[in-house]
C-alpha cells in the first residue's frame, strides 16, 4: 500500500496533479473566455463590427466610461483618506471601521441596487422629496453612478490599508521633522511609496466599475440608449436572441478583463507588488 | 588614529496599531486625522451605512408577521434552498480543486505557469454578465459541452446544476488566493522534518500540511460561499429562473421590485444580509482562532 | 560507522561537492565546518537522505544506503529554523515520529505520550508539553526539535546549523548543554556550522570544508595548531598573515630574519601565519618585528593591540597580557613570533 502511495513523490504523480489542475482551469476559466470570442466572431468580422458601431451599443459604451470616470476617482480619494486615517493614527473602533468599509463586498449586487431604490425610488424614503423637485435618480444615470460607487467602494481602500500599515509611519514622521507640510509629505513621500498598491487597487476598481451588472440592473430602468451600461446592453441583446451582437459587446468587456489581468500581472512581477489581503 | 563615533539619533518608537491609543498618544505628529477621518466617515455613512440601513428599517416597519410571511414565503424558502445549496456545492468543489490549483502553482514549475497564475483572477476581472452568457453558450443543450450531455437526458443549463457550474467559476479564485500564501510560507523543511521522522507521504499531507492550511482553506471556502449566495449576473442567464425550481434569491428580490413590492424585496434582502454577516463572522472567528494558535 | 566514498554533487552549473571521502566513527561528535557555499549542508543532507549524490556511496555500517529514502534511514535531523509543526502541541511534535509508524510498530497513545514527556524532561522542557511552538522562545523551540528527532531512537543525529538563529547568550548555553547531552547519550552526531568557535568547542573531530572539498580533518587541536592549508589557517581562529621569503631554511621578512624555522619549505615566496596570542614583546632587536601601534583596547583579560608593519598595508593584531601596562598609540612595539605556520606561496591564495 505504501509503495503505491509513494507515487506522490514520483515524477508521474507530479505530472498527474499538474494535469488535473490544468484541466480544471481549462474547463472553468479558459473555455468561457474562448467562447466569448468565438461566438462573437461566429458570423464573421463584418457582423462583429456592425454590432459594435450600432448607436445603442455606442451609447452603452459611453455610459460605461462615464460611470467609471466618476466612480473610480471618487473611490480613489476615499480609499486614500481611509487608508491614511487607519494606517497613520491610532483610535478605538479601528477594526469596526475596516469591517464597515468591507461591507459592500459581502452584499449581493442586487441588494446593493435595492438599497438605493429603497432610498431614492418613487416609493423610497426620499422619493416624494425628489419627485417634488423633479430630480430623477433611480432609472437614470445618477442612480447608476451611485450603485457603482457602492459596489466599488472598498477596492482601493482594501489595497492601501494593509500596504500603508506595513510601511508604517517612519517615512512620514521623518519628512515632517524636516519641515514638510502634511500635504507635501503625502505628495512626495507617501504617494511614491504606495503607487503600485494604488495602481493595483485602481485596476480592480475600474474592472468592477465597468463590469458591474446586478446592482446597476436594479437601478437602471433598462432604457435603451439612455440608461444601459455595456453589461446591461449585453443582457438586452441576449434576451432578444441577438447572440452575435451580445457576444460582440461582451467581447469588448472580455478584452477589458484581459488588459486588467495583464496590467495586474505586470505590477506584480516587475514591481514586486504582492497582495496582502485576501482576494475579493 | 581616532574614529569619531556619534550615537545614532533616537527616533521615537512608532506606536503599534494593535494597542489601544492612550491619552498621551492621541495627538499624533502626523497631520490630517480630522480631514481624512471626517471624509471617511462621511463617505462611509452616505454611500454605505445609510443606504444599507433602509433595508432593515423597511423590514422593521413591516411588523413581525408580515416580515415572516414575505421573507419566509414558500417561494422565498425555495429560492434560499437553491441559492445556498448551489453556493455550498460550488464552494466545496472549489475547495478541493482550488487547493489542488494552489498546490500546483506553489510547489511545481511548468511552462505557462505565470499565465495560469494570472488567469486565476479572471473571475474577478470579467464582468458577471459576460461570464453568464459565455457559460450558457457552453452548457446549453446545443452548447460546446452541453451537447454531450443532452442525449443522456442531463440538462446542464437551466437547472440548479447550471447554477452550480456558474458559481464554481465565480468562486474559483477565493480558495486559490486564500491558500496560496499559507502554502508558500509552509517551508519545505517542515515536510522534510516529517519525512525524516518516518512519515509516509500521505501522512505528511494529512497530518502536517492539511492542518496547517485548514484555516485558510476554510476562509476561502466561506468567501466563495458568501459570494455565491449573492451572485446574480453570471447566474441568471444559465439558471432557467423558474420559481421553486431554479430561481435564486437575488432574482426573487428583483421580481418583487419589478412588481413594486418593496416590502417583500426588503424582507428577503434582510434575510440574505443576515446570512452574509453570519458567514463573515464565522470567517473572522476562524481567523482569530488560528491566529491565536499559530502565533505567540 | 558511516563511510562516504567519492561523493560528488552538482547543482545546475555549480559543483557543490567534489569527490568527498569521509569516515564517521561510532559515538563521535563531528563538526562540518566551512563558510557558506562550502558544501557542508549539502553533505549533511546527502547523509540524511534529503538529497542524493550524483556519484559515490553512503554506507551506514557497511550497508549501502545511498539511494535509501530519508524515512527509511532512521536518522534524526534538526533543522536550523526548527521546522516544528506549528499546529501541534509540543508533546505532539515530539511524539510525531512514533505516531506515524505502521500499525504493527506503533506504540499505544499513552506510551507515545509518556515517551514524549520523558524526552521533554531530558531536554529540560518538562511541563511544556501542552504549549504550542509559537508560545516558546527560540532556544526552547530548538530543544523541542532535538527532542522530536531523538524520540524515534535514531542511529545518527544530524544538526544543520542548530544554533544559527539564536542570540549569542542562548547559543552559548545550548552549546554547553548539547555537549553534555552527547556525553550522556553517546549517539553519533554530525553538525554543520560556519562558526569555528562552536566547532572547536563541541566537536571530537572537525572537518574543514571549502568550495566542495575537504581541506582538513582532525581534532580541534590539530586544526587550530597545525592547519594543513592557508585556508584552514585563515578560517579557524584569528590569523595574521605576513608575506615572507624563504632562503636556505631561513625566514625573512624584507631585511629582517624571523625566528621561525623553514626547513620544510623550498626557497622562494611564502606566507607566515601566526595567531594574535602567539607573540611576546621584545625590544627592537634583530628577529623582532617592529609594530607601529594604531589601536589598543581591552578584550577580556588581554590587551588587543592593532598595529601597522612597514612594508605591508594590513593591520596586524596581537594579544598582550592585561597585567602589564598597555602600549601607547603611536609608539613602536617589537613583537616576536613564538609559534607560526609557513605556507609556500603557490598554495596561499592571497
Amino acid at each position: 500500500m505504501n509503495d503505491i502511495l509513494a507515487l506522490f513523490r514520483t515524477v508521474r504523480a507530479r505530472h498527474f496533479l499538474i494535469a488535473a489542475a490544468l484541466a480544471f482551469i481549462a474547463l472553468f476559466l479558459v473555455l468561457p473566455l474562448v467562447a466569448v470570442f468565438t461566438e462573437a466572431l461566429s458570423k464573421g468580422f463584418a457582423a462583429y463590427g456592425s454590432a459594435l458601431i450600432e448607436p445603442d451599443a455606442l451609447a452603452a459604451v459611453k455610459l460605461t466610461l462615464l460611470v467609471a470616470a466618476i466612480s473610480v476617482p471618487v473611490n480613489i480619494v476615499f480609499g486614500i483618506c481611509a487608508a491614511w486615517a487607519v494606517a497613520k493614527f491610532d483610535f478605538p473602533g479601528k477594526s469596526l471601521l475596516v469591517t464597515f468599509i468591507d461591507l459592500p463586498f459581502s452584499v449581493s449586487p442586487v441588494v446593493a441596487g435595492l438599497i438605493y431604490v429603497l432610498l431614492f425610488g418613487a416609493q423610497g424614503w426620499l422619493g416624494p422629496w425628489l419627485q417634488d423637485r423633479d430630480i430623477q435618480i433611480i432609472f437614470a444615470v445618477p442612480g447608476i453612478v451611485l450603485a457603482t460607487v457602492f459596489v466599488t467602494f472598498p477596492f482601493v481602500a482594501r489595497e492601501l490599508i494593509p500596504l500603508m500599515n506595513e510601511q508604517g509611519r517612519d517615512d512620514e514622521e521623518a519628512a515632517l521633522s524636516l519641515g514638510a507640510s502634511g500635504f507635501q509629505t503625502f505628495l512626495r513621500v507617501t504617494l511614491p511609496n504606495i503607487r503600485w498598491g494604488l495602481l493595483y487597487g485602481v485596476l480592480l476598481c475600474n474592472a468592477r466599475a465597468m463590469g458591474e451588472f446586478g446592482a446597476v440592473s436594479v437601478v437602471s430602468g433598462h432604457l435603451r440608449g439612455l440608461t444601459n451600461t455595456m453589461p446591461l446592453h449585453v443582457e438586452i441583446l441576449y434576451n432578444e436572441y441577438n447572440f452575435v451582437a451580445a457576444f460582440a459587446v461582451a467581447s469588448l468587456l472580455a478584452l477589458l478583463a484581459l488588459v486588467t489581468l495583464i496590467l495586474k500581472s505586470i505590477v506584480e512581477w516587475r514591481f514586486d507588488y504582492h497582495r496582502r489581503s485576501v482576494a475579493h | 588614529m581616532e574614529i569619531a563615533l556619534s550615537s545614532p539619533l533616537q527616533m521615537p518608537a512608532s506606536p503599534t496599531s494593535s494597542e489601544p491609543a492612550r491619552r498621551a498618544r492621541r495627538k499624533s505628529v502626523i497631520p490630517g486625522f480630522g480631514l481624512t477621518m471626517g471624509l471617511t466617515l462621511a463617505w462611509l455613512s452616505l454611500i454605505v451605512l445609510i443606504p444599507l440601513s433602509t433595508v432593515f428599517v423597511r423590514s422593521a416597519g413591516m411588523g413581525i408577521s408580515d416580515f415572516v410571511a414575505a421573507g419566509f414565503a414558500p417561494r422565498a424558502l425555495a429560492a434560499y434552498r437553491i441559492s445556498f445549496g448551489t453556493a455550498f456545492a460550488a464552494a466545496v468543489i472549489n475547495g478541493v480543486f482550488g487547493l489542488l490549483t494552489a498546490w500546483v502553482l506553489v510547489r511545481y514549475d511548468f511552462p505557462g505557469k505565470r499565465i495560469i497564475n494570472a488567469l486565476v483572477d479572471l473571475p474577478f476581472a470579467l464582468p458577471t454578465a459576460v461570464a453568464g452568457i459565455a457559460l450558457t453558450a457552453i452548457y446549453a443543450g446545443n452548447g460546446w459541452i452541453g451537447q454531450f450531455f443532452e442525449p443522456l437526458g442531463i440538462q446542464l443549463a437551466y437547472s440548479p446544476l447550471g447554477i452550480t457550474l456558474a458559481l464554481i467559476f465565480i468562486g474559483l479564485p477565493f480558495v486559490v488566493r486564500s491558500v496560496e500564501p499559507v502554502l508558500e510560507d509552509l517551508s519545505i523543511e517542515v515536510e522534510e522534518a516529517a519525512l525524516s521522522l518516518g512519515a509516509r507521504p500521505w501522512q505528511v499531507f494529512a497530518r502536517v500540511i492539511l492542518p496547517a492550511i485548514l484555516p485558510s482553506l476554510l476562509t476561502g471556502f466561506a468567501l466563495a460561499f458568501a459570494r455565491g449566495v449573492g451572485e446574480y449576473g453570471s447566474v441568471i442567464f444559465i439558471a432557467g429562473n423558474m420559481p421553486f425550481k431554479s430561481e435564486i434569491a437575488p432574482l426573487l428580490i428583483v421580481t418583487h421590485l419589478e412588481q413594486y413590492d418593496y416590502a417583500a424585496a426588503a424582507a428577503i434582502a434582510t434575510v440574505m444580509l443576515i446570512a452574509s454577516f453570519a458567514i463573515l463572522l464565522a470567517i473572522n472567528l476562524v481567523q482569530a482562532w488560528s491566529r491565536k494558535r499559530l502565533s505567540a | 560507522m558511516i563511510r562516504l566514498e567519492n561523493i560528488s554533487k552538482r547543482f545546475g552549473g555549480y559543483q557543490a561537492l567534489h569527490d568527498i571521502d569521509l569516515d564517521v566513527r561510532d559515538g563521535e561528535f563531528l563538526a562540518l565546518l566551512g563558510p557558506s557555499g562550502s558544501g557542508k549542508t549539502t553533505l549533511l543532507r546527502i547523509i540524511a537522505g534529503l538529497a542524493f549524490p550524483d556519484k559515490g556511496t553512503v554506507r551506514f555500517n557497511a550497508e549501502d544506503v545511498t539511494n535509501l529514502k530519508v524515512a527509511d534511514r532512521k536518522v534524526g535531523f534538526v533543522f536550523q529554523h526548527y521546522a516544528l509543526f506549528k499546529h501541534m502541541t509540543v508533546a505532539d511534535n515530539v511524539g510525531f515520529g512514533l505516531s506515524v509508524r505502521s500499525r504493527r510498530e506503533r506504540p499505544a497513545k499513552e506510551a507515545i505520550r509518556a515517551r514524549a514527556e520523558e524526552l521533554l524532561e531530558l531536554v529540560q522542557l518538562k511541563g511544556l508539553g501542552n504549549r504550542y511552538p509559537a508560545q516558546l522562545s527560540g532556544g526552547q523551540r530548538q530543544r523541542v526539535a532535538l527532542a522530536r528527532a531523538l524520540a524515534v531512537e535514531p542511529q545518527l543525529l544530524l544538526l544543520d546549523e542548530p544554533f544559527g538563529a539564536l542570540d549569542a547568550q542562548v547559543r552559548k548555553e545550548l552549546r554547553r548543554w548539547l555537549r553534555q547531552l552527547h556525553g550522556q547519550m553517546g549517539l553519533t552526531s554530525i553538525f554543520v556550522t560556519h562558526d569555528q568557535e562552536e566547532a572547536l568547542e563541541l566537536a571530537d573531530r572537525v572537518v574543514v570544508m571549502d568550495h566542495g572539498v575537504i581541506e582538513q580533518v582532525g581534532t580541534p587541536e590539530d586544526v587550530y595548531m597545525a592547519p594543513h592549508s592557508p585556508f584552514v589557517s585563515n578560517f579557524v581562529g584569528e590569523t595574521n598573515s605576513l608575506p615572507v621569503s624563504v632562503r636556505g631554511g631561513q625566514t625573512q621578512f624584507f631585511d629582517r630574519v624571523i625566528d621561525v624555522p623553514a626547513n620544510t619549505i623550498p626557497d622562494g615566496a611564502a606566507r607566515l601565519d601566526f595567531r594574535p596570542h602567539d607573540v611576546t614583546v621584545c625590544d627592537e632587536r634583530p628577529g623582532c618585528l617592529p609594530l607601529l601601534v594604531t589601536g589598543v583596547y581591552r578584550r577580556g583579560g588581554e590587551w588587543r593591540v592593532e598595529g601597522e608593519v612597514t612594508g605591508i598595508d594590513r593591520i596586524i593584531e596581537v594579544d598582550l597580557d592585561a597585567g602589564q601596562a598597555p602600549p601607547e598609540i603611536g609608539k613602536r612595539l617589537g613583537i616576536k613570533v613564538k609559534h607560526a605556520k609557513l605556507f609556500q606561496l603557490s598554495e596561499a591564495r592571497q
Side-chain angles (χ1 to χ4, degrees):
Chain A
M1 180 70 156
N2 275 336
D3 286 334
I4 299 174
L5 290 165
L7 219 59
F8 278 99
R9 286 288 130 189
T10 67
V11 176
R12 265 173 288 140
R14 170 178 304 217
H15 284 175
F16 171 73
L17 288 177
I18 296 177
L22 287 182
F24 178 68
I25 300 282
L27 179 61
F28 280 99
L29 292 184
V30 177
L31 204 52
L33 201 54
V34 169
V36 171
F37 292 102
T38 319
E39 293 287 330
L41 296 169
S42 59
K43 295 252 167 54
F45 275 101
Y48 180 76
S50 59
L52 291 178
I53 58 177
E54 205 260 312
D56 288 341
L58 288 177
V61 170
K62 267 192 258 183
L63 183 59
T64 300
L65 291 174
L66 175 68
V67 168
I70 298 177
S71 36
V72 171
V74 151
N75 279 324
I76 290 178
V77 171
F78 164 76
I80 291 178
C81 283
W84 184 268
V86 167
K88 307 296 177 194
F89 306 99
D90 293 320
F91 53 89
K94 200 188 271 197
S95 49
L96 192 63
L97 180 64
V98 173
T99 307
F100 279 151
I101 292 177
D102 242 9
L103 273 181
F105 273 146
S106 17
V107 165
S108 166
V110 164
V111 174
L114 172 69
I115 60 182
Y116 287 102
V117 172
L118 289 179
L119 199 52
F120 298 120
Q123 290 180 32
W125 265 5
L126 299 174
W129 189 90
L130 291 167
Q131 268 185 332
D132 288 341
R133 285 152 190 74
D134 214 14
I135 303 176
Q136 184 83 323
I137 295 193
I138 303 300
F139 304 148
V141 173
I144 295 178
V145 172
L146 275 176
T148 307
V149 168
F150 178 93
V151 297
T152 55
F153 190 77
F155 281 96
V156 175
R158 238 358 196 129
E159 289 303 322
L160 289 183
I161 289 177
L163 180 61
M164 285 171 75
N165 259 334
E166 194 176 297
Q167 289 175 347
R169 307 169 195 182
D170 288 356
D171 285 7
E172 283 75 20
E173 288 177 348
L176 289 166
S177 73
L178 291 165
S181 73
F183 198 60
Q184 280 176 318
T185 305
F186 168 73
L187 219 50
R188 300 183 57 185
V189 173
T190 315
L191 207 50
N193 272 342
I194 61 172
R195 62 188 160 175
W196 300 123
L198 188 58
L199 179 60
Y200 204 85
V202 168
L203 280 173
L204 297 178
C205 184
N206 180 62
R208 186 71 191 264
M210 291 193 178
E212 177 53 34
F213 180 74
V216 175
S217 175
V218 168
V219 300
S220 150
H222 304 270
L223 301 173
R224 294 184 82 115
L226 286 179
T227 60
N228 273 323
T229 56
M230 285 167 76
L232 293 184
H233 197 61
V234 167
E235 184 193 21
I236 290 184
L237 291 171
Y238 190 83
N239 287 337
E240 290 174 351
Y241 300 97
N242 198 347
F243 294 133
V244 169
F247 278 102
V249 179
S251 71
L252 289 182
L253 290 170
L255 280 173
L256 168 71
L258 287 176
V259 167
T260 304
L261 284 183
I262 292 173
L263 289 176
K264 246 174 86 299
S265 300
I266 292 178
V267 171
E268 280 169 7
W269 304 342
R270 289 267 333 268
F271 304 108
D272 210 28
Y273 175 76
H274 294 293
R275 231 179 205 163
R276 282 149 191 83
S277 46
V278 170
H280 279 288
Chain B
M1 179 173 68
E2 277 178 27
I3 306 166
L5 280 173
S6 53
S7 51
L9 192 65
Q10 283 294 100
M11 291 290 280
S14 307
T16 54
S17 58
S18 54
E19 289 175 20
R22 277 175 247 153
R23 295 252 160 227
R25 281 213 202 116
R26 198 170 293 180
K27 276 261 174 264
S28 175
V29 165
I30 301 178
F33 182 67
L35 177 67
T36 55
M37 193 62 182
L39 273 177
T40 302
L41 285 177
W43 202 236
L44 185 63
S45 310
L46 285 177
I47 298 290
V48 178
L49 296 178
I50 295 177
L52 266 180
S53 64
T54 61
V55 174
F56 296 107
V57 168
R58 239 346 151 95
S59 296
M62 274 170 75
I64 298 282
S65 52
D66 283 342
F67 176 80
V68 170
F72 295 97
R75 188 172 171 190
L77 288 176
Y80 299 146
R81 254 201 308 275
I82 303 274
S83 277
F84 285 87
T86 53
F88 187 83
V92 168
I93 294 177
N94 270 325
V96 172
F97 284 94
L99 175 58
L100 171 68
T101 307
W103 180 270
V104 163
L105 285 174
V106 172
R107 283 296 161 97
Y108 304 140
D109 265 321
F110 50 91
K113 174 171 158 171
R114 285 184 141 184
I115 299 181
I116 301 290
N117 202 7
L119 262 184
V120 167
D121 285 329
L122 183 66
F124 289 149
L126 193 67
T128 52
V130 175
I133 60 175
L135 289 166
T136 313
I138 295 174
Y139 293 112
N142 56 352
W144 299 22
I145 294 186
Q147 59 185 335
F148 299 113
F149 286 83
E150 171 101 45
L152 300 173
I154 303 176
Q155 235 196 354
L156 290 177
Y158 312 124
S159 68
L161 195 49
I163 300 176
T164 309
L165 289 168
L167 293 182
I168 293 177
F169 172 87
I170 289 296
L172 197 151
F174 289 105
V175 174
V176 178
R177 296 312 189 203
S178 291
V179 171
E180 250 182 340
V182 180
L183 263 184
E184 275 167 359
D185 276 348
L186 206 59
S187 67
I188 194 93
E189 293 185 337
V190 170
E191 236 179 288
E192 289 180 337
L195 285 172
S196 75
L197 291 164
R200 299 290 136 191
W202 67 268
Q203 285 174 315
V204 176
F205 181 76
R207 296 196 51 188
V208 177
I209 296 176
L210 200 55
I213 59 173
L214 198 59
S216 61
L217 194 55
L218 286 177
T219 300
F221 171 86
L223 287 170
F225 180 57
R227 177 72 190 262
V229 165
E231 181 57 27
Y232 182 70
S234 51
V235 172
I236 55 163
F237 296 96
I238 200 173
N241 307 321
M242 300 211 296
F244 293 98
K245 285 228 220 110
S246 53
E247 182 181 50
I248 54 173
L251 179 58
L252 190 52
I253 295 179
V254 172
T255 307
H256 283 310
L257 268 180
E258 283 171 351
Q259 293 160 356
Y260 295 99
D261 191 354
Y262 285 16
I268 300 183
T270 307
V271 172
M272 291 193 67
L273 278 174
I274 294 177
S276 306
F277 294 157
I279 297 172
L280 259 187
L281 190 62
I283 296 176
N284 279 332
L285 286 176
V286 164
Q287 291 186 328
W289 162 74
S290 86
R291 225 175 296 138
K292 194 166 65 94
R293 256 205 338 177
L294 296 182
S295 49
Chain C
M1 213 258 282
I2 304 190
R3 167 157 288 175
L4 303 169
E5 279 170 335
N6 295 117
I7 299 286
S8 288
K9 178 77 181 169
R10 194 183 189 84
F11 288 114
Y14 159 68
Q15 191 78 22
L17 292 171
H18 292 269
D19 254 349
I20 301 285
D21 289 310
L22 182 64
D23 281 347
V24 182
R25 301 172 194 156
D26 278 337
E28 80 169 326
F29 204 162
L30 186 77
L32 299 180
L33 173 68
S36 42
S38 53
K40 54 192 194 299
T41 299
T42 309
L43 191 59
L44 192 76
R45 289 170 64 89
I46 287 177
I47 298 174
L50 292 171
F52 298 96
D54 301 327
K55 267 190 302 183
T57 54
V58 181
R59 278 182 222 279
F60 287 1
N61 293 323
E63 183 191 338
D64 187 346
V65 300
T66 320
N67 291 313
L68 202 60
K69 292 206 188 63
V70 61
D72 299 321
R73 287 200 198 190
K74 295 208 82 202
V75 298
F77 201 101
V78 179
F79 293 83
Q80 182 177 4
H81 298 285
Y82 332 125
L84 295 181
F85 308 131
K86 287 197 274 219
H87 58 280
M88 293 185 198
T89 61
V90 163
D92 286 337
N93 262 280
V94 174
F96 182 81
L98 295 169
S99 68
V100 293
R101 288 204 182 143
S102 64
R103 193 148 296 186
R104 273 175 285 120
E105 294 173 36
R106 195 189 317 158
K109 244 197 230 163
E110 302 77 38
I112 296 181
R113 181 73 196 214
R115 177 113 176 98
E117 293 293 331
E118 208 182 293
L119 282 154
L120 284 175
E121 194 168 339
L122 179 69
V123 300
Q124 291 167 354
L125 289 177
K126 183 171 172 153
L128 295 180
N130 284 325
R131 301 257 181 103
Y132 284 91
Q135 299 166 299
L136 302 180
S137 71
Q140 288 172 322
R141 285 182 214 175
Q142 195 54 293
R143 279 182 276 160
V144 173
L146 189 59
R148 182 179 70 176
L150 292 174
V152 292
E153 290 179 330
Q155 52 179 335
L156 176 63
L157 186 63
L158 303 171
L159 307 107
D160 185 5
E161 309 230 26
F163 309 128
L166 300 169
D167 298 337
Q169 185 62 24
V170 178
R171 219 180 307 169
K172 242 203 267 189
E173 283 168 10
L174 280 181
R175 286 208 305 232
R176 197 180 311 140
W177 170 80
L178 186 63
R179 187 81 188 108
Q180 251 180 339
L181 198 66
H182 178 262
Q184 233 178 298
M185 294 187 327
L187 181 62
T188 312
S189 309
I190 307 177
F191 75 101
V192 156
T193 181
H194 60 269
D195 183 352
Q196 43 97 20
E197 219 179 270
E198 190 169 283
L200 295 181
E201 180 185 322
L202 290 179
D204 293 325
R205 283 196 307 156
V206 179
V207 177
V208 184
M209 294 180 68
D210 184 39
H211 283 94
V213 178
I214 293 182
E215 291 274 339
Q216 185 172 355
V217 181
T219 63
E221 178 80 5
D222 286 342
V223 154
Y224 187 79
M225 295 300 286
H228 286 176
S229 74
F231 172 80
V232 178
S233 169
N234 249 338
F235 191 76
V236 180
E238 289 178 291
T239 309
N240 294 300
S241 295
L242 286 180
V244 297
S245 50
V246 173
R247 216 160 274 137
Q250 263 195 340
T251 312
Q252 266 191 298
F253 178 66
F254 293 102
D255 52 342
R256 288 172 190 269
V257 175
I258 308 286
D259 197 3
V260 173
N263 301 320
T264 52
I265 310 287
D267 285 3
R271 194 176 100 177
L272 183 78
D273 283 358
F274 64 96
R275 309 272 184 214
H277 53 76
D278 280 338
V279 299
T280 48
V281 179
C282 57
D283 303 324
E284 296 239 79
R285 231 190 288 131
C288 261
L289 221 56
L291 197 71
L292 177 65
V293 178
T294 57
V296 180
Y297 58 93
R298 220 196 159 88
R299 247 171 135 237
E302 293 176 322
W303 293 113
R304 170 54 62 98
V305 178
E306 294 170 352
E308 291 172 352
V309 175
T310 38
I312 54 174
D313 60 9
R314 251 168 272 176
I315 299 284
I316 299 291
E317 298 185 65
V318 297
D319 287 332
L320 299 179
D321 185 24
Q324 301 166 340
E328 279 176 45
I329 295 181
K331 290 277 161 70
R332 292 188 101 79
L333 181 72
I335 55 170
K336 182 176 158 73
V337 176
K338 285 189 298 185
H339 173 90
K341 195 82 171 77
L342 265 176
F343 298 105
Q344 216 177 334
L345 201 57
S346 58
E347 302 176 291
R349 287 171 247 143
Q350 297 284 345

